[in-house]
Amino acid sequence: MAAGSISEDEYWDSIIFFLTLSSKIDSKWTIVDTKDGRRFAKKTEVFILSTENKESTMNDDVIRNTELMEEQEEDTAAFQVRGNSDVEVVTYEYHILYSPSYGVPVLYFNAHTQGGKLLALEEVWKRVPDVYKERLSEERWTFITQQEHPLLGRPFYYLHPCHTADLMKNSPVLTDKRHYIVSWLSAVGPVVGLKLPLEYGKLCVS
Amino acid sequence: MGENREIQKGVWEGRIPVAFRLSEEDTDGERPEPVYLMVPRISYFPLHTEKINKHFLKYASEKESEEIWLEHDNQPLKWHYPVGLLFDLYGSETSLPWTITVHFKDFPEEELLHCVSKDAVESHFMSSIKEADSLKHRGQVINSMQKRDHKQLWTGLLHDKFDQFWSVNKKLMESSGDETFKYIPYRLYMVDRHYMTNLFRPLTEEGHHQSLKHLLLSAVPQFFNEDEEFQKHVRIHGTEPLLDTPILWLSENFSFPDNFLHLVISDK
C-alpha cells in the first residue's frame, strides 16, 4: 500500500470503529446494504440555510441553523413564520465509500431542497466555506463535481479522491489504523458542511 | 508501437452513424427533420451535439433553454459514457443509423449527471485517466506529467487528433519488465444494472499472462458453465475480442482514451 492509503480490510476495520464511536456520540451514521450485497456508511443532516444571503457558506449556515433551532424551542409559531419567509431547508445525505483504485475512502453526497430539488453544482460550490475558496477557485473541476455513485449508479456529488493519500500521508501519524476514518473525515468533511463533533477525536485518544 | 499503432488508430477512427430527432413533447407544431452525424465511438456526445442542440432549439416549445439530454428507446443516455460504449450497450441490435431522441424538458436528474459545459466532460475525462493511472502505476505517471501534457490528452480527444493524444498517452500505456500494470482499469456493463469492476492483476504471481477469460472468470463466474465456457457475449468497440487475448495487450491497445476497458456483456 502506498503511503497515506489503506487496504479494503483496514478500511472496514476503521469504518466499524467509526460507527462504534458514532453510536456513543450521535448515532447519526448507519450502514446501508445495496441490492447486490455491497455496503457503504451513510448519514443524513438537515440544514436550515439563509435565503436572504445567497452567498452564505456552510459556516454561516450552521451558526444560523443553531440559532434558529433555539428560537424554535422558545417560540414555534415565530419560527414557522420566519421559516416560510427567509430560510430554506436543505437535506444533505453523505455516503462514505471505499475506492479500490485509490486505496482511500471517498465522500459522496447529495443535497436536496424541501421541494425535492437537487442543489445545482454551482450552489454546492458557493456553499464551500471561505477557507477552501482559494483552492476551489483554482481547481473547482478537480475538487467537487458530480459523478455516478459506484454502488447505486445514480448521480452524486463527490470530493475528488486523487489527493487523499497525500493528505493522509501528511496528517499526524496514526498510531492505530482504525482511527483513519475519523482523521480523514475531520480533514475533508468541513468542505461540504460535515463536521465531526470533538468527542470523536477525544474517544480516539482515550 | 509499430503494428499496434494500426490497431490503436482503428479503435480511434471508429464512427457510428446517428440520426438525432427532436422529441415530440418538445415541439408545438412542426417537427423538424432528423439531423445525421457520424460520431466517434471513443468520444462523448456533448462534444458533438452543440450544433444539433442549437438547431433543434429553434423548434423547441421551451425557449428557456432547459438542459439538453439524449434518449434511445426510453433509455436516457449517460453522456459521461463514451459513445461506443453506449452503442454497444443499448444500440447494437438496432438498425443503422442509430436513432437518438433529443429532449429539452424534464431532465431525468435521478439518472443523468448534469453537463453544464465542456468543462464537465473534461473534468470527468481527466478524473478517469487519473483513476486508471492510479490502478496501473499508483498514479506515478500521470502525477509526474506537466499540466501541458494533461491538456494535450484532452485537446487531442476534443479535436480528434490521434497523434497529439497518443504522443502523451503512450507514457500512460508503458508497461515493460517490472513496470507492468499493477491492475487493469476496466468496467463491465450490462443493460439494467450499473457497472462492475474489481482489482485484477494482468500477471499471475508466477508471471504468466492473464487473459480476458481469466478476468471474466474472476468478475462474473456466474456466466460460465461447468466446462468453463462463457455463456454470454463480451463486446468492446463493436467487436468481440477472443477470450484468450492477454488482458494486458487489450488494456494497452483497446482501452478508450480515458484509459479504461469498457466491456459490454450481453446475451446476443
Side-chain angles (χ1 to χ4, degrees):
Chain A
M1 279 285 135
S5 61
I6 50 170
S7 73
E8 188 154 7
D9 287 344
E10 288 170 334
Y11 166 79
W12 281 110
D13 282 349
S14 184
I15 280 286
I16 288 163
F17 181 77
F18 175 66
L19 265 107
T20 315
L21 292 185
S22 169
S23 68
K24 285 180 195 158
I25 297 163
D26 50 20
S27 299
K28 285 187 171 169
W29 287 92
T30 52
I31 291 280
V32 177
D33 288 287
T34 67
K35 272 182 282 180
D36 47 358
R38 313 284 295 278
R39 330 182 88 187
F40 59 88
K42 174 186 158 178
K43 175 191 171 176
T44 307
E45 184 99 41
V46 178
F47 291 96
I48 300 169
L49 306 177
S50 161
T51 50
E52 282 169 351
N53 175 13
K54 278 276 180 194
E55 298 298 315
S56 68
T57 66
M58 293 294 265
N59 269 349
D60 308 329
D61 296 329
V62 173
I63 295 164
R64 211 163 249 277
N65 181 356
T66 327
E67 285 168 0
L68 281 169
M69 285 307 193
E70 281 162 9
E71 228 169 89
Q72 183 182 20
E73 280 165 24
E74 287 165 19
D75 186 349
T76 311
F79 169 73
Q80 279 169 349
V81 172
R82 272 196 74 175
N84 289 338
S85 58
D86 63 357
V87 295
E88 180 184 27
V89 179
V90 180
T91 306
Y92 273 69
E93 184 176 315
Y94 302 100
H95 294 182
I96 302 173
L97 275 72
Y98 181 71
S99 163
S101 308
Y102 288 101
V104 296
V106 187
L107 187 62
Y108 286 78
F109 65 100
N110 263 348
H112 288 92
T113 62
Q114 216 166 6
K117 188 143 182 55
L118 183 72
L119 228 54
L121 180 57
E122 284 287 344
E123 293 287 318
V124 170
W125 283 341
K126 249 187 230 173
R127 293 191 158 117
V128 168
D130 288 339
V131 284
Y132 308 102
K133 279 276 160 69
E134 194 182 326
R135 174 159 175 222
L136 185 69
S137 69
E138 281 165 13
E139 38 183 337
R140 52 182 51 200
W141 286 104
T142 56
F143 192 19
I144 304 171
T145 58
Q146 216 184 10
Q147 180 62 282
E148 180 177 345
H149 191 295
L151 302 184
L152 301 178
R154 288 193 280 117
F156 265 74
Y157 295 113
Y158 81 125
L159 282 166
H160 285 231
C162 47
H163 300 299
T164 303
D166 280 341
L167 174 85
M168 295 307 290
K169 197 166 64 185
N170 298 325
S171 75
V173 181
L174 293 174
T175 45
D176 187 339
K177 276 242 172 176
R178 291 180 307 160
H179 298 165
Y180 190 102
I181 293 293
V182 173
S183 173
W184 163 76
L185 203 55
S186 50
V188 305
V191 176
V192 292
L194 184 61
K195 288 184 178 163
L196 278 194
L198 283 174
E199 285 90 331
Y200 279 90
K202 286 180 195 157
L203 281 176
C204 270
V205 176
S206 63
Chain B
M1 276 204 296
E3 57 182 299
N4 290 348
R5 188 175 188 277
E6 291 310 306
I7 290 159
Q8 291 153 359
K9 212 161 166 47
V11 165
W12 186 274
E13 287 171 349
R15 297 282 187 278
I16 294 165
V18 181
F20 294 94
R21 296 182 63 96
L22 181 60
S23 89
E24 272 181 53
E25 301 93 69
D26 278 292
T27 51
D28 289 333
E30 182 195 3
R31 197 173 177 199
E33 290 291 305
V35 177
Y36 297 91
L37 204 66
M38 293 295 281
V39 189
R41 273 182 164 268
I42 49 137
S43 192
Y44 300 87
F45 273 122
L47 306 184
H48 300 272
T49 50
E50 220 168 42
K51 280 184 184 160
I52 291 165
N53 298 355
K54 269 190 195 148
H55 172 71
F56 280 148
L57 200 56
K58 287 186 286 191
Y59 298 88
S61 47
E62 293 280 330
K63 293 294 175 199
E64 293 289 307
S65 159
E66 285 195 43
E67 199 173 337
I68 197 118
W69 58 282
L70 305 175
E71 162 252 315
H72 166 72
D73 204 11
N74 293 323
Q75 173 67 51
L77 299 176
K78 293 176 176 173
W79 63 262
H80 64 292
Y81 287 5
V83 172
L85 161 63
L86 289 169
F87 181 77
D88 288 344
L89 191 56
Y90 302 119
S92 61
E93 284 176 42
T94 64
S95 56
L96 294 175
W98 190 22
T99 305
I100 287 179
T101 309
V102 176
H103 292 266
F104 288 95
K105 285 185 199 160
D106 303 326
F107 188 90
E109 209 165 57
E110 286 294 305
E111 288 181 74
L112 301 183
L113 307 182
H114 285 287
C115 184
V116 288
S117 68
K118 285 180 182 171
D119 288 341
V121 187
E122 181 178 358
S123 160
H124 176 77
F125 176 68
M126 291 312 298
S127 306
S128 298
I129 288 189
K130 281 181 197 163
E131 182 175 351
D133 197 56
S134 187
L135 287 161
K136 288 185 289 187
H137 309 107
R138 295 182 178 176
Q140 283 162 357
V141 178
I142 193 79
N143 290 337
S144 66
M145 281 182 183
Q146 302 199 350
K147 274 229 159 76
R148 199 182 53 216
D149 296 324
H150 291 185
K151 212 69 191 169
Q152 192 172 328
L153 288 165
W154 164 243
T155 52
L157 176 80
L158 183 64
H159 303 307
D160 197 15
K161 304 279 189 210
F162 174 82
D163 290 322
Q164 195 184 327
F165 175 82
W166 265 98
S167 68
V168 180
N169 194 51
K170 65 172 194 276
K171 294 172 202 153
L172 294 164
M173 287 299 172
E174 264 167 17
S175 77
S176 53
D178 298 338
E179 295 300 307
T180 189
F181 295 174
K182 193 167 157 56
Y183 299 108
I184 297 293
Y186 80 94
R187 283 177 186 169
L188 296 179
Y189 300 81
M190 294 176 71
V191 173
D192 292 334
R193 57 175 301 172
H194 57 90
Y195 66 81
M196 290 169 273
T197 188
N198 229 323
L199 296 178
F200 187 78
R201 291 183 189 273
L203 302 177
T204 61
E205 278 177 23
E206 297 82 33
H208 298 303
H209 276 274
Q210 300 266 75
S211 67
L212 173 59
K213 184 179 176 179
H214 292 125
L215 181 141
L216 293 168
L217 265 169
S218 96
V220 284
Q222 68 272 32
F223 298 147
F224 285 81
N225 67 11
E226 288 167 2
D227 299 323
E228 281 199 358
E229 288 163 340
F230 192 49
Q231 302 297 296
K232 301 264 183 187
H233 292 265
V234 59
R235 202 176 275 117
I236 184 166
H237 305 303
T239 66
E240 290 190 45
L242 294 173
L243 294 187
D244 294 338
T245 316
I247 198 70
L248 185 62
W249 187 91
L250 267 186
S251 187
E252 287 167 356
N253 297 291
F254 263 52
S255 287
F256 280 78
D258 69 1
N259 280 225
F260 273 83
L261 282 172
H262 296 291
L263 300 158
V264 173
I265 297 180
S266 62
D267 292 326
K268 287 178 192 167

